[in-house]
Amino acid sequence: MKLPILLPFLFVANISLGQHWTEKKNENFNFIDNPKGQDLGYAPTSGIKILTVDGLAFKDLNKNGRLDKYEDWRLIVDERAKDLASKMSIEQIAGLMLYSGHQSIPARPRGFGGGTYNGKTLAESGALASDISDQQKTFLTGDNLRHVLITTVESPEIAARWNNNVQALVEGLGLGIPVNTSSDPRHNAVASTEYNAGSGGKISMWPEALGLAATFDPELVEKFGAIAATEYRALGITTALSPQIDLGTEPRWNRIGGTFGEDPALAADMARAYIDGFQTSSGTSEIKDGWGYNSVNAMVKHWPSGGPEEGGRDAHFAYGKFAVYPGNNFNTHLIPFLKGAFSLTGKTKMASAVMPYYTISYDQDKKYNENVGNAFSRYIITDLLRQKYGYDGVVCTDWRVTAEEGKTPDVFAGKSWGLESLSDAERHYKVIMAGVDQFGGNNAMGPVLEAYQMGVKEHGEIFMRKRLEESAVRLIKNIMRVGLFENPYLDPMASKNTVGKAEYMTSGYEAQLKSLVLLKNKNQVLPLQKNQKIYIPKRVVPAGKDWFGNVTPERIEYPVNMDIVKKYFIVVDDPAQADVAMVFVKSPDGGVGYSHEDREKGGNGYVPISLQYGTYKASTAREKSIASGDPVIDPSITNRSYKDKETTASNATDLKSILETRKSMNDKPVIVIISGNRPMVFNEFEREVDGILYGFGVMDQAVIEVVSGNEPSGLLPVQMPANMETVEQQQEDVPHDMKVYIDSEGNSYDFAYGLNWKGVIVDKRTSRYKRKIPKS
């Protein structure tokens, strides 16, 4: 098996039993070329030795001087994993069941992703950016943690060197189990970045998931997966915490942008393509059954879907802990998993890992009658996922489900929904007994060991040892399949030349172009002619808070990279001098569904989430919420209804900008460019404008290229509601159940609708996925 990266080394031949393996040395790592077998990489500083058996080389990871089954790359992964699990102590298994909190490379001086080096910040310590932080050393050596989630990296070279340092450290510890590094999606486009054909970048940039869905092109999504996996492996990342295949059936949910939309068939096809792209290795990179050195484990999320959040409120917070099923449509939400993630076309067959969502799938457990977060539910994990649907891959909780919740429902903290009154260790025990293998965001093995002892007391040591070994085997298999036990090391220069290479940047940019959806083109105002005079108003970016409570002040700025615009058009500051106006806006930010101020004034704290800019009064909302309750922080609230309350989008100034531009342009064309992340209401402004282009996380340049002539081909992956009344009337768990908006040209903004320069798009994609063609 040939490694993807070969370096110039000093060659040393080792002759044994008529065969030989070749060792290539440099100052830090050694690489071994095994004829007719897997190549090896190891760090001499780790203290391990190379064993020669039948003329082939093997790593003596546990330093016992003999070849153990788990060290023998000739054996099947299942046999190797079971052998290793049987040799592990309970402390080692407990560490393997941990998945770290978010790690920045290098560690930031403070806050999210923060860390120290010899007790000091990176700048104060004199350490290298690729060095291992104090906190990382602690959880790797003291807590036996072997799964690390990384966020920002300084550069591909730094990421590769950090990977090598970490792998060398753990290779010399205990049984020599490598680190499995993971990442949340990291290929989103930076809007202001300029694309230049033939030039590379920091990493290839693609539309967000809802934009990929808007292409209605599974082959494109599989190509994305393959490219992203190649870049991930060059960064040392071997598990992707993606794709997010929740059905986006609740239009107010703020995570729809990360899904493949509301249609079960489209979401299943996109999920299958995405995972096949990420997990599949071929040719000399393949080890066995499609797995190999180009493979990245896909941790598909979120079982059994986090889409049907009551009122659109998200479960990262206590105010959004409930997923509800008023349409009795639970099984529909399983389709992207059962017909997509678990039914791959490629040789790896199914996604190697699953993440349940934070939500309580309200009243869906008819066996044990528990309303607890999905990761705590034996019914959701064991009875359904494992037994009914036969899934035996890794199940990992979402991050910090065992931690304490915040003091109020709007505080970002732990997410122990349904088990708020239990202790940390008791929640760990509940997770283990539900059938889950791993704890996301937990760096310390102590609570896992406490949970183990609870199980020993209830079921006996033999039972609990077997239970933990089941999880260990699953976790080890995912590390072995991608070749980390044989070679976890990277060439930093090869990483630099791989991540963001020109051809990958081009593929991502072309996908962005294909994802843009043209909704309106009155009198064929588009495409615009080059060097037309364009007026673009500045945009008010409203003040706000991120998930962690950090405040961002209001600012006024151009909403687009004006240097890019000026390469296509003549920009003027006076609307009177312009031929056309382009107004760049964001889709309405109608809040999160909870108001601390409302609670302080004696209300229940729950308010509407709006998909329109202007003030909305929820006069048709439910009188009584489907679900409610928090036994710790808000036990008195038994009804989460927000009926007759009002809310206004924080970016209502976007509507003002559209209408003021319309007035200042008189009868001249006004084009609205929307950067969207979920459905929205158009009746506030659509009839006042001539063109509408909708994008899901794309570069400014892609927008300008379509406006100036690159023919649009994107289709809506979600319905656009006629008004907020239909949003209130739709059921959170049912797709395609809203009255859709019909514009001044008679076009319905329904699922799979979009325009090209000729009119409404009718092609193989619409025939495959669309129930009927909207009026043109």
Side-chain angles (χ1 to χ4, degrees):
M1 180 60 56
K2 299 301 180 185
L3 296 174
I5 298 172
L6 295 178
L7 300 172
F9 293 97
L10 173 64
F11 286 78
V12 179
N14 188 315
I15 308 298
S16 177
L17 299 178
Q19 299 186 47
H20 72 276
W21 45 264
T22 304
E23 185 166 5
K24 295 156 279 186
K25 298 183 176 180
N26 75 353
E27 59 185 28
N28 296 316
F29 307 102
N30 293 2
F31 294 86
I32 291 174
D33 182 9
N34 261 318
K36 299 181 181 179
Q38 288 195 45
D39 293 348
L40 310 179
Y42 72 100
T45 56
S46 70
I48 72 163
K49 303 299 182 182
I50 298 300
L51 302 172
T52 301
V53 178
D54 298 334
L56 300 172
F58 301 86
K59 293 164 73 171
D60 184 15
L61 290 167
N62 61 3
K63 307 183 187 73
N64 67 355
R66 65 177 183 269
L67 181 63
D68 294 286
K69 287 183 178 180
Y70 85 91
E71 298 164 336
D72 189 345
W73 43 259
R74 296 170 300 183
L75 302 178
I76 62 172
V77 166
D78 190 63
E79 184 176 359
R80 295 178 68 192
K82 288 178 179 177
D83 178 64
L84 176 53
S86 72
K87 291 176 166 58
M88 297 176 71
S89 68
I90 291 300
E91 289 76 14
Q92 288 170 326
I93 296 177
L96 192 66
M97 295 175 74
L98 304 176
Y99 225 126
S100 82
H102 299 71
Q103 305 295 308
S104 180
I105 311 301
R108 296 175 180 175
R110 64 189 64 84
F112 184 71
T116 58
Y117 299 83
N118 294 321
K120 301 177 181 178
T121 65
L122 179 69
E124 295 168 340
S125 69
L128 300 176
S130 57
D131 284 350
I132 307 172
S133 73
D134 298 335
Q135 293 73 22
Q136 292 160 1
K137 289 177 183 176
T138 295
F139 63 59
L140 291 170
T141 61
D143 292 284
N144 300 313
L145 185 148
R146 291 296 180 271
H147 294 79
V148 179
L149 171 60
I150 65 171
T151 55
T152 57
V153 297
E154 184 173 302
S155 68
E157 306 100 292
I158 295 300
R161 292 190 176 98
W162 177 84
N163 169 82
N164 292 348
N165 290 336
V166 166
Q167 300 293 6
L169 172 65
V170 300
E171 189 173 67
L173 299 176
L175 295 163
I177 299 172
V179 164
N180 179 358
T181 301
S182 73
S183 173
D184 282 308
R186 59 193 311 120
H187 283 84
N188 290 347
V190 178
S192 60
T193 302
E194 183 173 2
Y195 167 74
N196 291 297
S199 296
K202 291 184 178 180
I203 196 167
S204 63
M205 297 183 186
W206 299 71
E208 62 183 22
L210 200 57
L212 290 174
T215 69
F216 280 62
D217 186 350
E219 290 183 4
L220 181 151
V221 173
E222 184 171 351
K223 181 178 182 180
F224 159 72
I227 289 173
T230 301
E231 293 183 305
Y232 271 28
R233 291 304 299 258
L235 293 168
I237 298 167
T238 46
T239 293
L241 303 187
S242 60
Q244 183 188 338
I245 61 173
D246 312 87
L247 279 186
T249 53
E250 168 45 62
R252 293 163 292 189
W253 187 35
N254 62 12
R255 296 197 69 183
I256 283 185
T259 76
F260 292 128
E262 66 180 301
D263 186 75
L266 178 63
D269 288 347
M270 293 301 192
R272 186 185 314 109
Y274 186 109
I275 299 165
D276 272 333
F278 264 90
Q279 291 191 168
T280 303
S281 291
S282 59
T284 58
S285 294
E286 183 180 3
I287 298 172
K288 188 174 178 59
D289 297 329
W291 291 102
Y293 291 107
N294 282 349
S295 299
V296 172
N297 293 288
M299 185 180 290
V300 62
K301 56 189 185 184
H302 303 89
W303 177 263
S305 180
E309 302 267 12
E310 183 164 20
R313 300 181 295 269
D314 182 62
H316 277 82
F317 299 85
Y319 56 64
K321 67 175 67 174
F322 297 107
V324 296
Y325 296 87
N328 195 30
N329 217 31
F330 181 87
N331 288 336
T332 299
H333 286 257
L334 304 184
I335 290 174
F337 295 90
L338 304 181
K339 295 187 177 180
F342 302 162
S343 300
L344 303 182
T345 303
K347 293 164 68 176
T348 65
K349 296 184 179 179
M350 65 174 57
S352 65
V354 168
M355 182 188 294
Y357 203 40
Y358 298 118
T359 44
I360 296 169
S361 296
Y362 192 70
D363 279 355
Q364 297 307 300
D365 176 3
K366 307 300 183 184
K367 182 174 182 179
Y368 308 105
N369 296 312
E370 285 189 311
N371 275 314
V372 294
N374 293 313
F376 301 118
S377 172
R378 180 172 177 81
Y379 174 75
I380 293 292
I381 304 301
T382 293
D383 290 70
L384 283 186
L385 179 60
R386 295 216 185 275
Q387 294 179 354
K388 183 174 182 178
Y389 298 118
Y391 185 77
D392 194 39
V394 167
V395 178
C396 177
T397 75
D398 212 330
W399 262 232
R400 303 192 71 218
V401 302
T402 57
E404 296 292 331
E405 63 179 327
K407 293 182 179 180
T408 59
D410 55 343
V411 172
F412 186 80
K415 301 148 187 70
S416 53
W417 311 145
L419 299 179
E420 296 88 348
S421 300
L422 298 188
S423 70
D424 190 16
E426 287 170 330
R427 294 175 193 137
H428 277 76
Y429 182 48
K430 184 73 170 174
V431 167
I432 291 170
M433 300 312 292
V436 175
D437 303 302
Q438 201 165 27
F439 300 91
N442 293 21
N443 292 355
M445 68 178 177
V448 183
L449 296 177
E450 286 187 64
Y452 173 76
Q453 291 301 327
M454 291 176 186
V456 169
K457 185 176 181 179
E458 182 175 357
H459 299 287
E461 189 166 1
I462 293 175
F463 176 93
M464 283 307 292
R465 171 79 200 192
K466 180 182 178 182
R467 170 64 194 89
L468 262 64
E469 279 195 29
E470 289 175 355
S471 289
V473 168
R474 294 179 185 124
L475 292 162
I476 292 164
K477 285 164 71 173
N478 283 2
I479 303 175
M480 284 183 169
R481 285 174 177 141
V482 297
L484 290 178
F485 274 83
E486 280 56 67
N487 178 40
Y489 298 103
L490 299 171
D491 170 12
M493 290 309 297
S495 294
K496 176 183 178 181
N497 294 332
T498 298
V499 180
K501 67 191 301 184
E503 64 184 91
Y504 298 165
M505 298 297 291
T506 295
S507 294
Y509 185 70
E510 289 173 349
Q512 293 179 49
L513 293 171
K514 292 178 180 179
S515 74
L516 284 157
V517 183
L518 182 62
L519 296 176
K520 184 175 184 179
N521 193 18
K522 184 179 180 180
N523 297 325
Q524 285 71 53
V525 64
L526 296 174
L528 302 180
Q529 300 301 309
K530 189 174 179 62
N531 293 325
Q532 279 190 280
K533 293 180 180 179
I534 303 294
Y535 169 68
I536 298 176
K538 289 186 176 180
R539 180 173 182 265
V540 176
V541 180
K545 289 183 180 180
D546 63 18
W547 277 10
F548 309 104
N550 301 310
V551 177
T552 54
E554 180 181 287
R555 63 187 188 276
I556 300 176
E557 62 188 19
Y558 278 112
V560 63
N561 186 330
M562 297 300 284
D563 290 334
I564 291 175
V565 177
K566 290 174 182 177
K567 292 183 178 182
Y568 293 79
F569 306 111
I570 298 170
V571 177
V572 297
D573 295 327
D574 183 359
Q577 298 177 5
D579 300 315
V580 180
M582 287 195 294
V583 187
F584 289 78
V585 299
K586 303 282 189 182
S587 57
D589 183 356
V592 298
Y594 187 85
S595 167
H596 198 60
E597 292 75 13
D598 179 85
R599 188 74 181 96
E600 289 179 336
K601 292 177 181 178
N604 64 2
Y606 293 88
V607 295
I609 296 174
S610 178
L611 299 181
Q612 67 183 40
Y613 292 112
T615 299
Y616 164 63
K617 183 175 181 178
S619 57
T620 61
R622 291 187 182 112
E623 294 274 2
K624 171 78 174 172
S625 64
I626 294 174
S628 65
D630 192 307
V632 178
I633 61 175
D634 229 352
S636 64
I637 303 301
T638 58
N639 183 6
R640 294 185 168 197
S641 174
Y642 49 82
K643 183 174 171 59
D644 292 328
K645 294 182 182 179
E646 293 184 349
T647 192
T648 303
S650 64
N651 60 333
T653 50
D654 281 347
L655 175 61
K656 181 180 179 182
S657 179
I658 294 170
L659 298 180
E660 287 184 348
T661 301
R662 168 74 283 164
K663 184 177 180 180
S664 64
M665 289 294 290
N666 295 316
D667 294 329
K668 291 181 291 186
V670 175
I671 312 299
V672 175
I673 312 295
I674 302 169
S675 177
N677 60 5
R678 54 182 160 181
M680 63 177 286
V681 172
F682 285 86
N683 64 10
E684 298 172 297
F685 67 88
E686 176 272 320
R687 281 168 170 73
E688 302 298 323
V689 303
D690 302 276
I692 302 174
L693 185 67
Y694 207 96
F696 302 96
V698 301
M699 295 159 61
D700 296 337
Q701 188 170 346
V703 170
I704 299 302
E705 283 212 18
V706 168
V707 167
S708 60
N710 191 302
E711 187 161 31
S713 61
L715 304 170
L716 284 178
V718 288
Q719 291 181 317
M720 295 293 171
N723 47 50
M724 281 304 299
E725 286 69 35
T726 191
V727 173
E728 297 290 359
Q729 292 161 9
Q730 60 87 34
Q731 296 176 309
E732 286 92 337
D733 60 324
V734 179
H736 309 306
D737 65 338
M738 289 192 295
K739 179 182 178 182
V740 299
Y741 184 73
I742 301 176
D743 71 11
S744 63
E745 308 304 292
N747 290 320
S748 298
Y749 292 4
D750 205 346
F751 171 78
Y753 162 74
L755 299 171
N756 57 25
W757 300 146
K758 302 178 186 67
V760 175
I761 296 172
V762 179
D763 58 18
K764 291 188 295 185
R765 300 172 302 160
T766 58
S767 298
R768 179 174 182 177
Y769 294 106
K770 200 170 186 179
R771 293 166 301 166
K772 66 177 184 178
I773 303 300
K775 181 180 177 182
S776 61

